[in-house]
Amino acid sequence: MAAPPGDAPLTAANNIQPFFTLHKASAAAASSAPSSRARRRIDASLPSSPNPKSAMRIRDVDAQDEEDSELYEQLRLEAFHRIWSRIQSTIDEVLRGINLKLFDQVLQWAQESFSAIRAVAKPCHAEVQQPYPLLTNVICRRIPTAFVLTKNAEFVDDITTFRDLAGHLQSSGCHLAKLSAAELSVKHGVGGCFRSLLRQLLSDVPDVADVFALASWYCEAENYNQPIIVILDDLEQCSSDVLGELVMMLSEWVIKIPIFFVMGIATTLDAPKKLLSSEALQRLEPCKLTLGSPSDRMNALVEAILVKPCAGFCISHEVVMFLRNYFFRHDGTITSFISALKLACSKHFSMEPLSFLCMGVLQEDCEEFWHDKFEALPQVIHKYAFGLPSCTSATNLSNSSNAMVNGLSKLLESQKDWGSVLLCLYEAGRHDKLQLLDIFCEAVNPDLQAQNASNAELPVSKVNIEKLSGMKSGSGKVYMAQVMNAIRYLPMENLLRVLEVWSIHLSGISEINDKVKELQSTTIDADSVRATKEKWTRKYLVPVECLPFHEIICFKNVGVLQSALIGNPRRMVQLDLLKSQSHLKCSCCSRTGTALSGTLHDTSIMCNLAQEYGDVINLHDWYISFEGIINSRNSKVKRKSYSSPSKKKSKSTPAESEAMIQARFCRAVTEMQITGLLRMPSKRRPDLVQRIAFGP
């Protein structure tokens, strides 16, 4: 390969000296390339559905008119946004409701601390701005500090909590400032930390950021009669020296400027003793508060978004088990569970052609909505709907729109009754410290229906609870059997309380609710309640996967979800590089068909060219192919500029030098190496690189 001209400027783009990967291969080296190895081409298509019949149905739907396809794709996108918006608002409301008790405790603590400081002294405006302490009977130098134990393994769950706490305190009249662990670092020091505090309180921060500026601001009439709350959401990540210096500085002004701390702690309430010096700890007046545990928040979320039909979207047993394990693998991080659930929701609406019908749940008249939408569907989608596995296995199901509407209506009604009975089980099981997520995982198991059918003719005493208790979670009624056993030993007082909650959950199921009221009004024993509840599980705990048309609202493809969350990132990088035209949707590449265009990104061109080789690629041949594509693009641009009728307006693009093409080639090779798609040449074979292929 020719070297660049001697007078060419040596820039970062064409300086290939550090790479030493390019040279003309000798004839012997070229001929010694292994030709016996089969060339492996990476399948650029996405992973196919594990169910071939499902894939065939999707291909049938894709065969419809392009205009209708875009219309239904838009409907699915709109449905996803509306339904996830409903789910997200429900999540925010649940978490805010759980945290509200803590927020009220913090607000009450702040008000009581402010009253205690004002009881010591209420300095006038002139005294506040004096640099010396007030002469009072009691010299108070202790800053009221609320230590909030979050018990979260990941800080990401605390972000929303402290954000909502700040809004709650600010709406109650308190002055708010938030300091992050990055601001309380050695790099910024106490000066930078205090300046950040002033920027959040003062509209105009002076050049000299000192306490006197804060005192002058606090003396204003609208600021004087409220405390200043400083929130540190992650105490354990702060610099101990900087935080200690800030505490010592503000403690001298605590009577004049009532600044209180709210500090978040993730591990243990003893963390401040390990972080701060004894002198700084003596300047704090601690108050210990605790946030609800992640399991409590998870139980509330499962009840609100999975058990109760809040948006008409649900997940299958396999997906639930995967999300449960995913939640525990991330140390009980609520945010990771919510993100995974959102991904499952987005995958459902992108893969299921009829998923836009889920939006009917949000309509006032859902049956009318479903009837109108289904009547307007093409014949191919009609055929697809009644070809769903849940419909082909159902009996006495006609291929009409009325059957479709009735099926979806019964599906939602069954889900509502199913959720009511499940909450009754949880209410009884919480006395034995059972989690709702565990009971939920068993209740959605479609094998439960077969177990109930096999035990339907047996008396309750014959149900082998000991055998069930030895089974693995998710494979049988392990937790449900534990619930049934726990009711047997509940004290009468707790049992009556459980029946009272049952009557609330079962208000829509008159058959069971009448029996519960009868039990409440008579002398009962635990055996009778247990026997009655066993009948509920047989009749009303029908998993959604056992009902017709459940595929429309239920996401079942756990493989797609697992691939997206745990995934194969290098495989996806390969697929994205090979399908860059479809991702970019540019006009210059779409007209070329399958041929490579020089307007593509260099790395994408290189990855596509690598498809023509085996596991080992000759660098010289690779470069020649790359150079040919780049030069063909330049020649096309040149011909287009020559044929332009307006020569003054058009400017011909000069052909790139060989040195520049070499530099672009080297950079693309390096990018493929960095992403792990390529292994660079060895000393034995400096003219060959090894391609690393992931997936089939």
Side-chain angles (χ1 to χ4, degrees), residues 618-630:
N618 184 286
L619 275 172
H620 181 263
D621 295 341
W622 205 12
Y623 172 76
I624 293 301
S625 301
F626 176 79
E627 183 184 29
I629 293 176
I630 300 300

Side-chain angles (χ1 to χ4, degrees), residues 659-670:
M660 179 60 72
I661 298 177
Q662 289 182 15
R664 291 173 58 181
F665 178 81
C666 290
R667 179 162 51 185
V669 170
T670 305

Side-chain angles (χ1 to χ4, degrees), residues 52-92:
K53 292 185 179 180
S54 176
M56 186 177 299
R57 290 193 303 270
I58 295 176
R59 285 196 294 269
D60 291 339
V61 175
D62 292 339
Q64 65 183 311
D65 185 75
E66 183 178 354
E67 183 178 352
D68 290 340
S69 178
E70 293 180 358
L71 172 63
Y72 294 124
E73 182 179 355
Q74 185 63 31
L75 287 175
R76 295 201 305 270
L77 182 62
E78 179 186 354
F80 164 71
H81 287 303
R82 290 190 59 184
I83 286 179
W84 181 253
S85 177
R86 172 70 67 88
I87 295 175
Q88 185 64 60
S89 61
T90 304
I91 291 173
D92 295 339

Side-chain angles (χ1 to χ4, degrees), residues 14 37 51 56 63 116 139 174 226 270 276 286 301 305 358 374 467 507 559 568 609 659 671 695:
N14 59 19
R37 289 196 177 188
N51 187 351
M56 186 177 299
I139 302 298
C174 301
Q226 293 295 338
D270 294 334
L276 297 173
L301 287 178
I305 62 180
C358 295
F374 194 72
K467 182 178 179 180
S507 58
N568 191 345
L609 289 175
E671 289 179 355

Side-chain angles (χ1 to χ4, degrees), residues 171-203:
S171 64
S172 301
C174 301
H175 304 299
L176 253 296
K178 292 183 65 178
L179 296 177
S180 63
E183 293 170 319
L184 284 162
S185 61
V186 178
K187 176 182 178 181
H188 294 88
V190 69
C193 171
F194 190 73
R195 179 174 290 276
S196 175
L197 189 150
L198 291 182
R199 280 197 297 266
Q200 299 179 58
L201 297 174
L202 280 65
S203 57

Side-chain angles (χ1 to χ4, degrees), residues 323-617:
L323 291 182
R324 178 181 180 273
N325 297 332
Y326 187 78
F327 171 68
F328 287 116
R329 280 199 302 267
H330 286 74
D331 299 321
T333 306
I334 298 292
T335 306
S336 66
F337 181 85
I338 297 174
S339 301
L341 182 64
K342 183 177 182 179
L343 183 59
C345 186
S346 65
K347 291 292 185 182
H348 176 69
F349 283 93
S350 64
M351 297 175 61
E352 173 53 50
L354 291 173
S355 57
F356 66 91
L357 295 176
C358 295
M359 198 162 50
V361 180
L362 308 180
Q363 307 297 324
E364 294 183 1
D365 191 344
C366 58
E367 293 188 359
E368 181 180 357
F369 174 84
W370 288 328
H371 189 275
D372 293 342
K373 291 295 182 183
F374 194 72
E375 285 291 334
L377 293 176
Q379 187 63 32
V380 63
I381 300 188
H382 275 259
K383 183 178 179 181
Y384 166 79
F386 289 98
L388 294 170
S390 62
C391 296
T392 55
S393 60
T395 58
N396 300 326
L397 187 64
S398 61
N399 295 355
S400 63
S401 59
N402 291 332
M404 171 81 170
V405 173
N406 293 335
L408 290 175
S409 300
K410 291 181 180 178
L411 177 62
L412 291 184
E413 184 179 354
S414 299
Q415 279 295 96
K416 183 179 179 181
D417 295 344
W418 175 87
S420 300
V421 175
L422 183 62
L423 291 178
C424 290
L425 291 175
Y426 172 59
E427 182 62 31
R430 66 194 310 172
H431 293 277
D432 205 20
K433 297 182 180 180
L434 292 179
Q435 303 299 321
L436 180 57
L437 182 58
D438 296 330
I439 302 176
F440 179 84
C441 289
E442 287 186 3
V444 296
N445 190 350
D447 296 336
L448 177 68
Q449 184 71 2
Q451 293 179 11
N452 287 336
S454 62
N455 293 330
E457 302 301 328
L458 295 177
V460 177
S461 59
K462 296 295 183 180
V463 179
N464 196 338
I465 295 178
E466 289 76 10
K467 182 178 179 180
L468 288 173
S469 61
M471 300 171 67
K472 295 182 179 179
S473 174
S475 60
K477 298 185 293 184
V478 179
Y479 294 105
M480 293 186 193
Q482 189 174 347
V483 170
M484 298 173 190
N485 218 21
I487 295 180
R488 187 182 186 88
Y489 302 104
L490 277 179
M492 186 60 64
E493 182 181 356
N494 293 342
L495 188 59
L496 291 175
R497 191 178 300 113
V498 167
L499 288 175
E500 183 178 353
V501 177
W502 283 2
S503 63
I504 298 175
H505 289 318
L506 300 171
S507 58
I509 310 177
S510 58
E511 178 184 354
I512 307 179
N513 199 21
D514 293 341
K515 185 64 176 178
V516 171
K517 291 180 179 179
E518 180 184 346
L519 293 174
Q520 287 179 293
S521 60
T522 58
T523 304
I524 61 172
D525 55 51
D527 287 335
S528 62
V529 178
R530 177 173 173 268
T532 303
K533 190 183 64 53
E534 173 64 17
K535 296 178 182 178
W536 303 353
T537 61
R538 296 174 185 172
K539 183 175 180 179
Y540 291 97
L541 271 186
V542 180
V544 65
E545 292 182 77
C546 299
L547 300 172
F549 299 108
H550 73 267
E551 292 90 347
I552 297 176
I553 69 170
C554 181
F555 178 70
K556 303 173 63 175
N557 200 326
V558 67
V560 172
L561 185 62
Q562 184 175 3
S563 175
L565 290 174
I566 301 175
N568 191 345
R570 293 181 181 176
R571 164 76 171 166
M572 297 309 297
V573 169
Q574 285 181 320
L575 294 178
D576 290 341
L577 288 173
L578 294 174
K579 299 176 62 178
S580 57
Q581 296 99 323
S582 61
H583 291 306
L584 297 176
K585 297 181 179 179
C586 54
S587 58
C588 57
C589 299
S590 60
R591 292 193 297 265
T592 60
T594 57
L596 286 178
S597 171
T599 58
L600 284 175
H601 191 276
D602 293 344
T603 310
S604 183
I605 296 175
M606 296 281 286
C607 191
N608 279 274
L609 289 175
Q611 288 280 84
E612 304 301 326
Y613 299 89
D615 294 339
V616 180
I617 306 174

